Amino acid sequence: GDLRQGLAAPELGHVDAVSPLSELLQDHDTEVRQAAISALGRIGGPGATRILRAFAASCPPGDRETVDDALTEASIQGDALRP
């Protein structure tokens, strides 16, 4: 479905995938959470960045490196949007 497609190939500007992906940050499965984190980083933009920063404040320790990497990627994506 749409959610699996969002995890498989998120791209810059797929802001419609941000909300469903953010819900996956609460999943009990580490692989699901980390895939959602990475996807949010690839999408970038202010919405994804805000969600990642909020999640970073209370994420499980095992997710922290993935969140940091995703925030770095989201920042790079954000720079790509600037003229």
Side-chain angles (χ1 to χ4, degrees), residues 68-81:
D68 290 343
D69 291 345
L71 282 166
T72 299
E73 186 165 2
S75 174
I76 293 168
Q77 296 289 15
D79 289 344
L81 289 176

Side-chain angles (χ1 to χ4, degrees):
D2 292 337
L3 187 56
R4 290 200 186 276
Q5 186 177 12
L7 283 173
E11 296 174 8
L12 180 63
H14 279 198
V15 294
D16 56 330
V18 170
S19 182
L21 287 168
S22 69
E23 293 174 18
L24 292 178
L25 297 179
Q26 305 307 316
D27 198 279
H28 69 282
D29 187 322
T30 301
E31 289 183 26
V32 171
R33 280 194 318 274
Q34 291 188 355
I37 292 164
S38 296
L40 286 165
R42 288 192 300 274
I43 291 168
T49 300
R50 186 172 44 253
I51 289 165
L52 287 167
R53 285 187 179 141
F55 183 65
S58 62
C59 71
D63 290 346
R64 185 61 203 214
E65 184 176 348
T66 305
V67 172
D68 290 343
D69 291 345
L71 282 166
T72 299
E73 186 165 2
S75 174
I76 293 168
Q77 296 289 15
D79 289 344
L81 289 176
R82 292 190 185 104

